[in-house]
Amino acid sequence: MNRAKALICIIIPILLAYVLNTKFGDTPPILKFLNPFTGFWQNAESNMITANKKIALKGAHDKIDILFDDRMIPHVFAQNDHDVYYAQGYVTAMHRLWQMDFQTRFAAGRISEIVGKKAIEVDRYQRRMGMVYGAENSLKGMMEDPKAREMILAYTAGINDYIHSLSSANLPLEYKLLDFKPEDWTPIKCALLLKQMSAVLAMGSDEFYMTNILKKFGPEITKDLFPDYPFKEDPIIPVGTKWDFTPLPIPPTPKGYTEMLTGNVQTKQKIEGIGSNNWAVSGAKTASGYPILANDPHLDLTLPSIWYQIQLHAPGLNSYGVSLPGAPGIIIGFNQNIAWGVTNVAADVLDFYQIKFKDNSHKNYWCNNEWKNTTQRLEKIKIRGSADEIDTVYYTHQGPVVYFQKPKYSKASNVPIGNALRWIAHDKSNELMTFYYLNRGKNYADYRKALTYYTAPAQNFVFASADNDIAITPNGKFPLKWKDQGKFILDGSDPGNDWHGWIPASQNPTVKNPPRNFVSSANQSSTDTTYPYYINWEFSPYERGKRINDRLTAMTKANVDSMRNLQRDSYSIIAENLLPYILPLVDSTQLNATQKEALNITTKWNKFFEAKEVAASIFDLWNKRLNYDIWDDEFTIANIPMRYPSRDRTIELIQKDPNSKWFDNVKTSQKETLKDLVNESFKFTCDSLERKYGAIGKNWNWGKVKNTNVPHLAKIPGFGSKKLLIGGGKSTVNALSESNGPSWRMVIELGKTPKGHGVYPGGQSGNPGSPFYDNMIDTWAEGKLYNLFFMQSPDDKSGKIISHYKISKK
């Protein structure tokens, strides 16, 4: 008996130790996690900051000063290019290591290594889309350029020297929760991060829908409901701009392009929100007489922030702005002489080709009247707790054939079966040099030179200089296409459907110092219809761009507050366009008390999507429901995925063709009119809001209904922000939805001494236990901006410095 007791006393602690130190499912190893010396307690940062710290690092070539201001933003002062990027890598890893690691693992299809089999479909998708393949090609382009090579190797060395300095105790919290450790950084990870940004900004694709619509409705209806240029537009390059070049001949259109094949796949439409605003105003419109530039890229909001603020100073370089954690240089920012910013172009640089295979081996495909060989790429996927998986991906000359059967991953449902993917992100590129030269730019000529290095994702690069030049260029490497090439799925057997060369970089649309004294973009059409090349058939709706241009046209003696207030403008052009046509159709005699009150509130509404506006909530849902009532009966059919016509085309019908046949619901015996749909959708809206939020009142306020918040990057509960009761909407200049919106607001006043202002919804640190994790969110939510400390030397007293790292060579 005593032996049994003794055995139990030995076995139970051993079992407990095993259980508490082993990760089961989503639960971290409890003992490791709670260990007071190495667990999560070690991640609770004090408000006390080390004022001065000396560090000897083997990767440094000379002395480096890193000064942290009162928002923990680093100002790096180095003696050479290697050290400035080495220090950037080191300090970015110090604040954002887990974020950098997680994002590049996601891009590479390596999440299963951390969480096991449940992520296998995510990893397959990333590999099959050619993310690693594209990153490998991009890295080749970077490493062939001596400057880019130095940037990426120095940045990588800085990250690794920081990783090697870590003990188990001071690993970022997420490593402890997920029970894994950081691996050494490699240059391919920098390329993967840039490929992931291309995927975020370019992966929306409608050709599957459009092909099905063409097959169902025929070319006349398709052309009528999905025109190649919108009814209302205010393009980025002002209407009437002359093109000072002789265009290349356009490739001929293949005869059979409207007879493309498609698989019946479930897909998702592009969701409005991946957008941005930028503009530059010349000195003729400002109080200072110098240009002002503004930029606010709209992306999914996360903690840690997608951006990392930093100043980089070395011989020939003094630049401030935001970087992408995991890539060297500054992406959006300013220096002594110029400022620049970006918005997404939405160029058509991703096409799918229907492939005819010889047999189920997929080793041969039909093209140009002969059988050609595919190539195979073996993707080895490591899975935590299971054996590795080898996934074979077949490539044609167009690119990878992503799926041969319906994918199990919901985000892959926009990929047609048996199609090859031609995507600009698979090509060799070297975007780093664009930012290398912009960071050091002095004038317009330097801006134009920098843009020639840029491939993808295509961006509207806005520019302003102390020389009083302003400009904007929808820029990227654009394939030379015949009109509408890629609007529908393409026939992979016809070489006429391949891409045939490129639009010369010098002939990308651009404008410098236009007569209206400003340039701007909000993801709308790049040009009017006179531009001789095809970039895409559809861009973001025009409303944000229209509102920005109206405000800038009227603006005089503009200052930083003029720009800041425009960035947070919440006026709805959609409401302006729709309400005069639909409000008179509401039959008030058929409304209940709540609906009558809602109608009264909406009638008196000033059309601003402010947080306390009840009418904004009513109009937002009413507009969505009306759109559904108009189009769903014809455009939602089981196993034939299609999309609705655009908002622009819908408004055109309501305004100009109120008796259109499209207002009738074909699924009912009676004939519905626009008035019927307006009334149904209004009652539905009021009833839905009442069911969810109770009686009409404060709970119907737009800020509460919209429910804006900033979640954790990996959606870890408790690591996201509080709910933010703020205004703005997807179609307003302040383009805010639940968790998508202005990821960085920046305003730069050019002049003899530039003045920068900016904020993002988060903080510098990626550590949830740090006071600098989310300390900027309230300022961002209030629409305010911080002054950016553009320091000239380590001794500059303007910087409000709270900590100084002095790095020397080990």
Side-chain angles (χ1 to χ4, degrees):
M1 189 66 175
N2 288 336
R3 286 185 179 180
K5 286 183 179 179
L7 198 60
I8 289 170
C9 289
I10 293 170
I11 291 174
I12 288 179
I14 291 173
L15 287 174
L16 276 173
Y18 171 75
V19 168
L20 294 175
N21 279 288
T22 304
K23 178 179 168 62
F24 294 99
D26 295 330
T27 305
I30 301 299
L31 275 183
K32 286 184 184 178
F33 189 63
L34 296 179
N35 187 312
F37 302 105
T38 61
F40 84 98
W41 307 100
Q42 294 294 317
N43 296 96
E45 286 184 9
S46 165
N47 282 312
M48 299 296 291
I49 305 297
T50 304
N52 293 291
K53 191 172 183 178
K54 293 184 178 180
I55 310 173
L57 295 173
K58 64 180 181 180
H61 287 182
D62 206 331
K63 68 173 185 175
I64 308 169
D65 291 285
I66 306 177
L67 298 100
F68 298 91
D69 66 29
D70 60 352
R71 293 188 298 281
M72 198 46 67
I73 296 159
H75 304 257
V76 176
F77 290 85
Q79 311 303 309
N80 54 73
D81 277 3
H82 171 276
D83 280 359
V84 81
Y85 296 116
Y86 172 81
Q88 184 184 8
Y90 185 91
V91 76
T92 307
M94 185 171 79
H95 285 150
R96 301 288 188 86
L97 177 61
W98 180 82
Q99 176 189 13
M100 296 158 63
D101 190 343
F102 181 80
Q103 287 178 327
T104 52
R105 283 178 186 268
F106 176 82
R110 295 182 56 205
I111 299 298
S112 297
E113 293 180 25
I114 303 169
V115 302
K117 279 187 174 180
K118 64 184 179 182
I120 188 65
E121 293 301 331
V122 180
D123 289 348
R124 283 188 189 128
Y125 171 75
Q126 293 293 103
R127 305 291 186 96
R128 288 183 156 274
M129 292 299 292
M131 293 291 285
V132 180
Y133 167 73
E136 290 168 353
N137 287 335
S138 185
L139 183 61
K140 289 177 187 175
M142 296 178 194
M143 299 303 272
E144 286 172 1
D145 185 293
K147 289 187 175 70
R149 179 183 174 87
E150 181 178 41
M151 287 174 78
I152 209 164
L153 291 179
Y155 189 81
T156 295
I159 295 169
N160 284 330
D161 277 357
Y162 178 73
I163 290 173
H164 298 158
S165 75
L166 290 173
S167 66
S168 296
N170 52 24
L171 284 177
L173 180 56
E174 291 89 347
Y175 285 108
K176 297 171 184 178
L177 275 171
L178 297 169
D179 190 31
F180 74 106
K181 292 183 178 180
E183 62 187 9
D184 276 8
W185 194 263
T186 55
I188 191 71
K189 290 176 178 277
C190 297
L192 278 164
L193 182 78
L194 297 172
K195 293 300 110 175
Q196 185 59 30
M197 186 55 70
S198 282
V200 168
L201 296 176
M203 287 310 296
S205 180
D206 281 346
E207 54 233 69
F208 328 114
Y209 301 103
M210 295 308 304
T211 303
N212 282 337
I213 289 166
L214 182 66
K215 289 171 71 176
K216 177 171 176 56
F217 294 103
E220 288 188 17
I221 287 177
T222 302
K223 186 175 181 180
D224 175 58
L225 292 183
F226 300 89
D228 291 338
Y229 202 79
F231 158 57
K232 292 177 180 288
E233 187 54 288
D234 200 337
I236 293 167
I237 306 302
V239 173
T241 299
K242 302 300 181 187
W243 310 111
D244 188 20
F245 57 80
T246 301
L248 299 179
I250 305 301
T253 305
K255 293 179 181 178
Y257 99 95
T258 57
E259 300 171 1
M260 311 302 175
L261 301 173
T262 181
N264 288 329
V265 294
Q266 290 295 326
T267 60
K268 292 184 178 180
Q269 296 185 74
K270 288 185 284 188
I271 298 172
E272 187 177 357
I274 302 295
S276 304
N277 307 314
N278 64 18
W279 60 84
V281 180
S282 84
K285 277 185 164 287
T286 67
S288 68
Y290 286 97
I292 302 177
L293 181 144
N295 191 193
D296 55 299
H298 308 153
L299 295 163
D300 285 340
L301 307 178
T302 63
L303 288 173
S305 167
I306 190 173
W307 301 107
Y308 181 74
Q309 279 189 69
I310 195 166
Q311 181 179 359
L312 301 177
H313 189 290
L317 168 68
N318 187 16
S319 186
Y320 187 117
V322 289
S323 63
L324 286 168
I330 289 170
I331 305 297
I332 300 170
F334 68 102
N335 61 31
Q336 184 70 36
N337 302 293
I338 70 170
W340 66 94
V342 295
T343 66
N344 196 33
V345 172
D348 187 6
V349 291
L350 182 156
D351 290 332
F352 279 105
Y353 291 80
Q354 186 74 38
I355 303 300
K356 177 184 177 183
F357 290 97
K358 188 173 185 179
D359 53 43
N360 288 335
S361 72
H362 304 126
K363 291 183 178 179
N364 308 99
Y365 68 103
W366 187 252
C367 183
N368 200 19
N369 296 314
E370 64 176 338
W371 293 108
K372 294 191 174 184
N373 295 329
T374 59
T375 57
Q376 291 85 50
R377 181 182 171 95
L378 301 181
E379 297 285 357
K380 184 177 181 180
I381 303 175
K382 295 182 178 180
I383 307 169
R384 185 172 189 159
S386 300
D388 296 349
E389 178 182 299
I390 304 295
D391 193 21
T392 303
V393 184
Y394 293 87
Y395 281 69
T396 70
H397 71 283
Q398 290 104 350
V401 180
V402 187
Y403 285 107
F404 289 106
Q405 55 190 9
K406 185 176 179 180
K408 298 175 183 177
Y409 178 44
S410 62
K411 288 190 177 178
S413 58
N414 69 336
V415 179
I417 306 305
N419 280 244
L421 170 63
R422 177 68 178 102
W423 184 23
I424 189 69
H426 290 156
D427 292 10
K428 184 189 292 188
S429 65
N430 186 10
E431 287 83 7
L432 286 184
M433 292 313 298
T434 294
F435 302 107
Y436 179 91
Y437 286 116
L438 282 175
N439 291 182
R440 292 163 172 76
K442 292 183 171 60
N443 50 41
Y444 176 78
D446 290 344
Y447 157 76
R448 293 295 295 168
K449 175 186 176 182
L451 297 194
T452 62
Y453 291 88
Y454 194 81
T455 296
Q459 298 288 293
N460 299 300
F461 281 85
V462 71
F463 165 86
S465 74
D467 295 335
N468 231 328
D469 286 326
I470 60 171
I472 195 165
T473 307
N475 188 67
K477 191 174 182 181
F478 300 131
L480 185 63
K481 292 185 168 189
W482 40 268
K483 184 172 169 49
D484 287 342
Q485 185 177 354
K487 185 173 183 176
F488 308 100
I489 288 176
L490 297 162
D491 178 3
S493 68
D494 185 348
N497 289 317
D498 288 347
W499 293 359
H500 297 282
W502 308 95
I503 298 174
S506 62
Q507 296 183 15
N508 286 349
T510 190
V511 65
K512 176 188 179 187
N513 298 331
R516 65 186 186 182
N517 290 314
F518 70 85
V519 293
S520 73
S521 75
N523 316 108
Q524 74 271 41
S525 300
S526 300
T527 69
D528 64 15
T529 55
T530 64
Y531 183 64
Y533 297 115
Y534 173 76
I535 295 178
N536 205 347
W537 70 276
E538 186 178 50
F539 297 83
S540 288
Y542 91 115
E543 293 95 358
R544 280 186 292 115
K546 169 67 174 170
R547 177 64 174 172
I548 290 167
N549 290 349
D550 286 350
R551 290 281 304 274
L552 292 178
T553 298
M555 206 175 277
T556 59
K557 296 186 178 179
N559 58 24
V560 63
D561 284 334
S562 312
M563 305 295 104
R564 180 179 63 83
N565 289 332
L566 180 50
Q567 285 182 333
R568 62 187 301 270
D569 183 279
S570 69
Y571 182 77
S572 173
I573 295 279
I574 299 177
E576 178 185 290
N577 287 336
L578 272 181
L579 285 176
Y581 293 87
I582 62 176
L583 275 174
L585 299 180
V586 178
D587 184 353
S588 60
T589 65
Q590 300 298 312
L591 304 181
N592 63 30
T594 296
Q595 293 162 358
K596 284 181 179 178
E597 186 177 357
L599 180 62
N600 182 49
I601 290 170
T602 307
T603 301
K604 294 177 179 178
W605 181 39
N606 63 6
K607 304 178 185 65
F608 282 86
F609 271 72
E610 293 300 321
K612 293 183 179 180
E613 288 287 352
V614 169
S617 302
I618 297 167
F619 177 76
D620 184 71
L621 184 53
W622 188 14
N623 181 41
K624 288 175 183 173
R625 180 65 179 186
L626 180 58
N627 201 50
Y628 170 89
D629 283 352
I630 294 170
W631 300 117
D632 196 69
D633 56 322
E634 282 101 350
F635 287 88
T636 300
I637 299 174
N639 299 319
I640 306 178
M642 296 184 288
R643 54 158 281 189
Y644 294 171
S646 68
R647 183 163 68 222
D648 173 82
R649 186 69 182 97
T650 305
I651 291 173
E652 183 180 21
L653 280 178
I654 292 170
Q655 289 186 354
K656 302 179 77 174
D657 192 7
N659 297 314
S660 169
K661 70 173 186 177
W662 298 106
F663 298 133
D664 177 42
N665 186 339
V666 297
K667 295 180 179 179
T668 67
S669 56
Q670 65 267 33
K671 183 176 181 179
E672 287 80 11
T673 65
L674 177 59
K675 182 174 182 178
D676 294 328
L677 302 190
V678 165
N679 280 274
E680 189 284 333
S681 55
F682 185 76
K683 292 175 184 177
F684 173 89
T685 294
C686 298
D687 294 348
S688 298
L689 290 170
E690 190 169 30
R691 278 195 304 271
K692 188 169 184 179
Y693 300 103
I696 192 168
K698 289 184 178 180
N699 285 338
W700 286 36
N701 285 357
W702 175 237
K704 289 189 176 182
V705 171
K706 178 161 59 75
N707 191 33
T708 295
N709 67 95
V710 185
H712 183 262
L713 177 64
K715 304 295 189 289
I716 296 176
F719 286 6
S721 78
K722 62 189 177 184
K723 293 179 181 178
L724 304 168
L725 300 179
I726 53 180
K730 284 186 179 181
S731 63
T732 69
V733 177
N734 187 19
L736 267 165
S737 59
E738 183 176 359
S739 58
N740 184 287
S743 59
W744 162 242
R745 290 195 186 107
M746 180 184 82
V747 176
I748 307 300
E749 302 174 272
L750 278 302
K752 292 180 180 178
T753 302
K755 295 177 182 177
H757 316 269
V759 69
Y760 50 58
Q764 285 294 96
S765 176
N767 177 13
S770 168
F772 299 101
Y773 178 66
D774 59 0
N775 58 308
M776 301 186 205
I777 283 184
D778 287 342
T779 300
W780 173 84
E782 293 165 7
K784 297 177 181 177
L785 303 174
Y786 293 106
N787 292 329
L788 308 179
F789 304 127
F790 185 52
M791 297 175 62
Q792 301 304 303
S793 72
D795 301 320
D796 190 332
K797 303 302 181 185
S798 67
K800 296 186 180 179
I801 300 305
I802 60 174
S803 180
H804 186 174
Y805 282 19
K806 295 183 178 181
I807 296 175
S808 59
K809 182 175 177 60
K810 196 170 189 177

